[in-house]
Amino acid sequence: MTEATFPQCRIVTERLLNPETTEKLLNKVVSVAGVRRMVINGPRLPETVPYGPAKGQANPHPMRKTIHVGDQEVALNVHVGTVLLEVESPDVIPALKAAIEPVFTDFTFRIQEGKYMKTSPSLVDYCKYGPDADKSMLGLADPNSKSRPIILQGIK
Amino acid sequence: MAYKPQYCAGQTVVAANRRKAMDPTHKLTKLRDVTDKDIVLIMGHRAPGSAYKSAHPPLSEQQEPACPVRKMVTPTDGAKAGDRVRYIQFADSMYNAPCQPYLRSYLEAYRFRGIDPGTLSGRQIIECRERDLEKYAKDLVNTELFDPALCGIRGATVHGHSLRLDENGMMFDMLQRCVLDKKAGVVKYVKNQIGEPLDAEVKVGKPMDNKWLKANTTIYHSLVGTAYRDDAEAIEYIQRIHSLRTKYGFMPKE
């Protein structure tokens, strides 16, 4: 049996996105049928200062907010710069582009096609998940991460 | 013929700006008025108004050995008083920031005395006696060498130089030491350079507009500013250095 491989793409914006714009963008992405998996990428915004003389102090940051996407609350831990997507077929990508275009009025964005998420387990995944790893989880997060993915109800 | 320093090669506006910054005879334009107290608050080394802590007794109270070099070099105010050594560190965005780490070290060496600059790819630290530092830091923040949105005063957690700007045009800062007050259009420091919250906000002025930044930047950037490849003289210079260094490795006999 041949294994199904799904096309991947990423949305790269000219500027790092505010939480409000991220919310708008992700809601547009969710409204498109055929998006399988999504990763929000960007530089991390930790809750406490991780190192330096102020280590351990609270780190209030206006870009770290909880946003509402589809029917779920999503806590942002990064300053969003790139959104990685795995879609069901190549036809979804033009539809995705058309859907998100209205979000970017002040600056530009690009959709690039390529391979951005793991599709087969690496050695670290094998150590963490064993031989029967859930393929839908691979490449979504660092295997050491304790956070779980957020499952959004699609429109399909 | 008397020696005339040339500072740096290049025919573009970027090279001209670098030469201006390095030339100690060029007076830097003052663009904002951040007070001594504000600078002390942002740096966070001492409480404003408190006495300077010292590392050794003042030179006048010390018995110094008979040394011709000590007679030749006048100590700076900080060295005279025996101040401890403190620092200020800047991170500069590659999106047309008016100053850059390498340039900072050059210009400080030309303009200031008694300093120890440390240069890294995206940040530059300068260490010197505390009261000298406050004087120099004021020059670095109040003049054309600083832009509130694209230059950050960051003691630790400096990442941001090579990242895209955010929607407000500010350089990324994981600790968000400065924020843009959209209503007033002014950038305010809400934390000191190591990320400890300040009791009162410190205003450092309005971010400069894109036209000014493009005309006053000291970094080459092919997308948002002047491309390095457009500067034939700078390329010729760097290629000559590269070639000479490579040949020297083989010990050429000329």
Side-chain angles (χ1 to χ4, degrees):
Chain A
M1 196 179 85
T2 51
E3 284 197 11
T5 52
F6 295 97
Q8 294 183 1
C9 65
R10 67 175 177 189
I11 303 166
V12 186
T13 57
E14 191 187 344
R15 294 282 176 105
L16 299 179
L17 303 179
N18 289 349
E20 298 75 29
T21 317
T22 308
E23 189 174 68
K24 266 191 233 165
L25 170 68
L26 296 188
N27 278 314
K28 292 284 184 192
V29 171
V30 169
S31 71
V32 177
V35 176
R36 277 172 49 87
R37 303 195 293 162
M38 178 158 69
V39 176
I40 306 168
N41 259 351
R44 197 166 71 95
L45 303 172
E47 284 178 16
T48 54
V49 179
Y51 48 82
K55 185 178 175 178
Q57 287 198 20
N59 177 32
H61 200 296
M63 298 300 165
R64 193 182 55 241
K65 278 187 185 162
T66 301
I67 58 174
H68 199 81
V69 181
D71 53 355
Q72 294 283 335
E73 299 281 312
V74 179
L76 290 176
N77 289 316
V78 292
H79 197 161
V80 182
T82 313
V83 180
L84 313 181
L85 297 153
E86 187 175 87
V87 293
E88 283 179 352
S89 77
D91 310 335
V92 178
I93 297 171
L96 198 66
K97 191 173 182 192
I100 64 173
E101 232 152 24
V103 178
F104 300 101
T105 49
D106 299 334
F107 52 92
T108 57
F109 76 100
R110 291 173 74 185
I111 291 194
Q112 297 170 314
E113 288 180 50
K115 192 167 180 185
Y116 304 108
M117 281 183 247
K118 263 188 280 187
T119 48
S120 55
S122 66
L123 183 69
V124 180
D125 292 318
Y126 186 85
C127 296
K128 175 81 178 175
Y129 304 119
D132 305 317
D134 178 3
K135 282 209 164 184
S136 63
M137 277 295 294
L138 292 177
L140 286 191
D142 177 359
N144 287 325
S145 164
K146 290 193 182 77
S147 59
R148 304 293 306 159
I150 292 167
I151 298 167
L152 299 167
Q153 184 61 51
I155 55 167
K156 224 174 165 188
Chain B
M1 203 173 82
Y3 170 70
K4 200 170 163 239
Q6 297 182 57
Y7 299 111
C8 104
Q11 299 154 312
T12 51
V13 67
V14 174
N17 291 336
R18 287 182 180 188
R19 284 193 287 271
K20 268 197 286 184
M22 280 193 262
D23 182 359
T25 58
H26 170 79
K27 197 170 183 300
L28 296 168
T29 319
K30 197 175 168 194
L31 295 177
R32 56 193 71 81
D33 199 16
V34 180
T35 61
D36 293 346
K37 185 187 156 203
D38 290 346
I39 295 279
V40 169
L41 280 171
I42 294 175
M43 291 199 293
H45 298 309
R46 67 182 182 108
S50 64
Y52 291 101
K53 285 183 184 160
S54 59
H56 59 77
L59 292 183
S60 56
E61 293 172 22
Q62 281 195 150
Q63 297 249 315
E64 289 210 275
C67 167
V69 177
R70 287 181 201 229
K71 274 184 194 145
M72 225 158 37
V73 181
T74 322
T76 61
D77 292 344
K80 245 186 243 169
D83 287 353
R84 55 188 186 162
V85 172
R86 299 285 97 173
Y87 69 92
I88 187 167
Q89 183 166 245
F90 290 92
D92 302 286
S93 173
M94 56 183 238
Y95 287 93
N96 282 348
C99 207
Q100 291 300 322
Y102 258 85
L103 178 69
R104 281 186 189 278
S105 287
Y106 273 117
L107 74 93
E108 284 159 6
Y110 281 120
R111 288 174 182 273
F112 304 147
R113 292 184 60 225
I115 53 158
D116 178 9
T119 324
L120 297 103
S121 55
R123 61 187 159 118
Q124 192 262 5
I125 187 167
I126 167 175
E127 292 176 20
C128 63
R129 305 286 190 148
E130 197 164 0
R131 73 188 74 195
D132 300 335
L133 176 72
E134 285 170 13
K135 201 168 70 189
Y136 300 155
K138 213 175 156 195
D139 278 353
L140 292 171
V141 171
N142 280 334
T143 59
E144 58 189 287
L145 300 174
F146 187 79
D147 175 61
L150 301 182
C151 300
I153 303 169
R154 303 179 181 186
T157 329
V158 294
H159 193 41
H161 163 76
S162 60
L163 297 187
R164 284 165 277 171
L165 304 178
D166 74 7
E167 283 185 47
N168 306 327
M170 301 281 288
M171 178 170 55
F172 172 79
D173 183 2
M174 190 167 95
L175 304 187
Q176 200 75 38
R177 278 158 273 228
C178 54
V179 288
L180 178 71
D181 183 343
K182 277 191 182 168
K183 232 179 187 178
V186 170
V187 174
K188 299 181 300 192
Y189 272 80
V190 292
K191 296 179 186 174
N192 67 15
Q193 65 172 342
I194 57 160
E196 290 167 342
L198 291 170
D199 293 336
E201 292 163 344
V202 172
K203 290 184 181 137
V204 287
K206 289 186 178 181
M208 305 307 283
D209 60 55
N210 284 339
K211 201 176 152 201
W212 186 92
L213 289 169
K214 209 172 168 182
N216 287 277
T217 185
T218 53
I219 193 166
Y220 293 98
H221 196 297
S222 59
L223 296 178
V224 294
T226 311
Y228 190 61
R229 285 174 187 223
D230 293 347
D231 199 330
E233 191 181 288
I235 296 260
E236 189 191 341
Y237 167 77
I238 208 80
Q239 282 178 342
R240 179 176 149 74
I241 300 279
H242 176 72
S243 150
L244 291 178
R245 281 176 62 117
T246 311
K247 282 177 192 162
Y248 182 73
F250 295 106
M251 294 290 282
K253 286 197 176 89
E254 287 180 14

PDB file of all heavy atoms in Angstrom, chain B residues 163-177:
ATOM      1  N   LEU B 163      15.704  39.857  13.008  1.00  0.00           N
ATOM      2  CA  LEU B 163      14.304  39.432  12.873  1.00  0.00           C
ATOM      3  C   LEU B 163      13.478  40.502  12.154  1.00  0.00           C
ATOM      4  O   LEU B 163      13.819  41.683  12.190  1.00  0.00           O
ATOM      5  CB  LEU B 163      13.682  39.181  14.248  1.00  0.00           C
ATOM      6  CG  LEU B 163      14.293  38.070  15.071  1.00  0.00           C
ATOM      7  CD1 LEU B 163      13.462  37.835  16.310  1.00  0.00           C
ATOM      8  CD2 LEU B 163      14.379  36.791  14.269  1.00  0.00           C
ATOM      9  N   ARG B 164      12.378  40.040  11.543  1.00  0.00           N
ATOM     10  CA  ARG B 164      11.454  41.005  10.937  1.00  0.00           C
ATOM     11  C   ARG B 164      10.919  41.939  12.024  1.00  0.00           C
ATOM     12  O   ARG B 164      10.810  41.545  13.183  1.00  0.00           O
ATOM     13  CB  ARG B 164      10.262  40.258  10.321  1.00  0.00           C
ATOM     14  CG  ARG B 164      10.580  39.578   9.032  1.00  0.00           C
ATOM     15  CD  ARG B 164       9.486  38.591   8.687  1.00  0.00           C
ATOM     16  NE  ARG B 164       9.689  37.325   9.372  1.00  0.00           N
ATOM     17  CZ  ARG B 164       8.793  36.345   9.391  1.00  0.00           C
ATOM     18  NH1 ARG B 164       7.635  36.487   8.773  1.00  0.00           N
ATOM     19  NH2 ARG B 164       9.050  35.229  10.025  1.00  0.00           N
ATOM     20  N   LEU B 165      10.585  43.152  11.615  1.00  0.00           N
ATOM     21  CA  LEU B 165      10.008  44.088  12.587  1.00  0.00           C
ATOM     22  C   LEU B 165       8.576  43.657  12.876  1.00  0.00           C
ATOM     23  O   LEU B 165       7.986  42.896  12.111  1.00  0.00           O
ATOM     24  CB  LEU B 165      10.012  45.506  12.012  1.00  0.00           C
ATOM     25  CG  LEU B 165      11.364  46.041  11.565  1.00  0.00           C
ATOM     26  CD1 LEU B 165      11.215  47.427  10.963  1.00  0.00           C
ATOM     27  CD2 LEU B 165      12.336  46.089  12.738  1.00  0.00           C
ATOM     28  N   ASP B 166       8.004  44.167  13.967  1.00  0.00           N
ATOM     29  CA  ASP B 166       6.594  43.822  14.215  1.00  0.00           C
ATOM     30  C   ASP B 166       5.693  44.817  13.479  1.00  0.00           C
ATOM     31  O   ASP B 166       6.157  45.715  12.788  1.00  0.00           O
ATOM     32  CB  ASP B 166       6.305  43.713  15.714  1.00  0.00           C
ATOM     33  CG  ASP B 166       6.238  45.057  16.408  1.00  0.00           C
ATOM     34  OD1 ASP B 166       6.282  46.088  15.729  1.00  0.00           O
ATOM     35  OD2 ASP B 166       6.129  45.075  17.648  1.00  0.00           O
ATOM     36  N   GLU B 167       4.390  44.636  13.627  1.00  0.00           N
ATOM     37  CA  GLU B 167       3.459  45.463  12.864  1.00  0.00           C
ATOM     38  C   GLU B 167       3.574  46.951  13.187  1.00  0.00           C
ATOM     39  O   GLU B 167       3.241  47.805  12.385  1.00  0.00           O
ATOM     40  CB  GLU B 167       2.019  44.996  13.122  1.00  0.00           C
ATOM     41  CG  GLU B 167       1.673  43.744  12.387  1.00  0.00           C
ATOM     42  CD  GLU B 167       0.224  43.385  12.559  1.00  0.00           C
ATOM     43  OE1 GLU B 167      -0.649  44.262  12.413  1.00  0.00           O
ATOM     44  OE2 GLU B 167      -0.045  42.213  12.877  1.00  0.00           O
ATOM     45  N   ASN B 168       4.038  47.255  14.404  1.00  0.00           N
ATOM     46  CA  ASN B 168       4.184  48.662  14.794  1.00  0.00           C
ATOM     47  C   ASN B 168       5.513  49.251  14.343  1.00  0.00           C
ATOM     48  O   ASN B 168       5.811  50.401  14.626  1.00  0.00           O
ATOM     49  CB  ASN B 168       4.094  48.798  16.321  1.00  0.00           C
ATOM     50  CG  ASN B 168       2.841  48.164  16.862  1.00  0.00           C
ATOM     51  OD1 ASN B 168       1.813  48.162  16.199  1.00  0.00           O
ATOM     52  ND2 ASN B 168       2.917  47.601  18.059  1.00  0.00           N
ATOM     53  N   GLY B 169       6.340  48.428  13.686  1.00  0.00           N
ATOM     54  CA  GLY B 169       7.641  48.923  13.231  1.00  0.00           C
ATOM     55  C   GLY B 169       8.717  48.824  14.280  1.00  0.00           C
ATOM     56  O   GLY B 169       9.795  49.384  14.126  1.00  0.00           O
ATOM     57  N   MET B 170       8.451  48.103  15.384  1.00  0.00           N
ATOM     58  CA  MET B 170       9.436  47.965  16.460  1.00  0.00           C
ATOM     59  C   MET B 170      10.240  46.676  16.251  1.00  0.00           C
ATOM     60  O   MET B 170       9.721  45.679  15.761  1.00  0.00           O
ATOM     61  CB  MET B 170       8.724  47.861  17.817  1.00  0.00           C
ATOM     62  CG  MET B 170       7.850  49.038  18.170  1.00  0.00           C
ATOM     63  SD  MET B 170       8.798  50.411  18.768  1.00  0.00           S
ATOM     64  CE  MET B 170       9.288  49.806  20.373  1.00  0.00           C
ATOM     65  N   MET B 171      11.502  46.700  16.689  1.00  0.00           N
ATOM     66  CA  MET B 171      12.334  45.500  16.634  1.00  0.00           C
ATOM     67  C   MET B 171      11.848  44.505  17.696  1.00  0.00           C
ATOM     68  O   MET B 171      11.451  44.918  18.781  1.00  0.00           O
ATOM     69  CB  MET B 171      13.794  45.902  16.887  1.00  0.00           C
ATOM     70  CG  MET B 171      14.758  44.764  16.911  1.00  0.00           C
ATOM     71  SD  MET B 171      16.474  45.249  16.919  1.00  0.00           S
ATOM     72  CE  MET B 171      16.593  46.321  18.311  1.00  0.00           C
ATOM     73  N   PHE B 172      11.916  43.211  17.379  1.00  0.00           N
ATOM     74  CA  PHE B 172      11.471  42.186  18.335  1.00  0.00           C
ATOM     75  C   PHE B 172      12.290  42.254  19.621  1.00  0.00           C
ATOM     76  O   PHE B 172      13.505  42.422  19.583  1.00  0.00           O
ATOM     77  CB  PHE B 172      11.616  40.792  17.713  1.00  0.00           C
ATOM     78  CG  PHE B 172      11.367  39.682  18.694  1.00  0.00           C
ATOM     79  CD1 PHE B 172      10.079  39.328  19.037  1.00  0.00           C
ATOM     80  CD2 PHE B 172      12.415  39.012  19.308  1.00  0.00           C
ATOM     81  CE1 PHE B 172       9.840  38.322  19.957  1.00  0.00           C
ATOM     82  CE2 PHE B 172      12.189  38.001  20.226  1.00  0.00           C
ATOM     83  CZ  PHE B 172      10.891  37.661  20.550  1.00  0.00           C
ATOM     84  N   ASP B 173      11.608  42.150  20.735  1.00  0.00           N
ATOM     85  CA  ASP B 173      12.292  42.072  22.026  1.00  0.00           C
ATOM     86  C   ASP B 173      11.524  41.085  22.897  1.00  0.00           C
ATOM     87  O   ASP B 173      10.363  41.319  23.229  1.00  0.00           O
ATOM     88  CB  ASP B 173      12.325  43.463  22.677  1.00  0.00           C
ATOM     89  CG  ASP B 173      13.084  43.447  24.002  1.00  0.00           C
ATOM     90  OD1 ASP B 173      13.609  42.378  24.370  1.00  0.00           O
ATOM     91  OD2 ASP B 173      13.140  44.493  24.659  1.00  0.00           O
ATOM     92  N   MET B 174      12.171  39.999  23.271  1.00  0.00           N
ATOM     93  CA  MET B 174      11.487  38.965  24.059  1.00  0.00           C
ATOM     94  C   MET B 174      11.012  39.519  25.391  1.00  0.00           C
ATOM     95  O   MET B 174      10.014  39.073  25.938  1.00  0.00           O
ATOM     96  CB  MET B 174      12.445  37.802  24.287  1.00  0.00           C
ATOM     97  CG  MET B 174      11.811  36.591  24.873  1.00  0.00           C
ATOM     98  SD  MET B 174      12.909  35.209  24.741  1.00  0.00           S
ATOM     99  CE  MET B 174      13.685  35.270  26.332  1.00  0.00           C
ATOM    100  N   LEU B 175      11.738  40.499  25.942  1.00  0.00           N
ATOM    101  CA  LEU B 175      11.351  41.057  27.243  1.00  0.00           C
ATOM    102  C   LEU B 175      10.542  42.345  27.105  1.00  0.00           C
ATOM    103  O   LEU B 175      10.142  42.933  28.100  1.00  0.00           O
ATOM    104  CB  LEU B 175      12.596  41.315  28.101  1.00  0.00           C
ATOM    105  CG  LEU B 175      13.517  40.122  28.333  1.00  0.00           C
ATOM    106  CD1 LEU B 175      14.602  40.490  29.323  1.00  0.00           C
ATOM    107  CD2 LEU B 175      12.761  38.920  28.846  1.00  0.00           C
ATOM    108  N   GLN B 176      10.338  42.810  25.883  1.00  0.00           N
ATOM    109  CA  GLN B 176       9.541  44.017  25.605  1.00  0.00           C
ATOM    110  C   GLN B 176       9.881  45.154  26.578  1.00  0.00           C
ATOM    111  O   GLN B 176       9.047  45.641  27.311  1.00  0.00           O
ATOM    112  CB  GLN B 176       8.040  43.694  25.692  1.00  0.00           C
ATOM    113  CG  GLN B 176       7.146  44.696  24.963  1.00  0.00           C
ATOM    114  CD  GLN B 176       7.192  44.530  23.452  1.00  0.00           C
ATOM    115  OE1 GLN B 176       7.260  43.427  22.972  1.00  0.00           O
ATOM    116  NE2 GLN B 176       7.181  45.621  22.734  1.00  0.00           N
ATOM    117  N   ARG B 177      11.172  45.541  26.553  1.00  0.00           N
ATOM    118  CA  ARG B 177      11.605  46.615  27.454  1.00  0.00           C
ATOM    119  C   ARG B 177      11.009  47.942  27.058  1.00  0.00           C
ATOM    120  O   ARG B 177      10.745  48.802  27.883  1.00  0.00           O
ATOM    121  CB  ARG B 177      13.133  46.726  27.439  1.00  0.00           C
ATOM    122  CG  ARG B 177      13.775  45.710  28.340  1.00  0.00           C
ATOM    123  CD  ARG B 177      15.181  45.483  27.919  1.00  0.00           C
ATOM    124  NE  ARG B 177      15.181  44.454  26.905  1.00  0.00           N
ATOM    125  CZ  ARG B 177      15.994  43.409  26.909  1.00  0.00           C
ATOM    126  NH1 ARG B 177      16.897  43.281  27.838  1.00  0.00           N
ATOM    127  NH2 ARG B 177      15.912  42.487  25.976  1.00  0.00           N
TER     128      ARG B 177
END
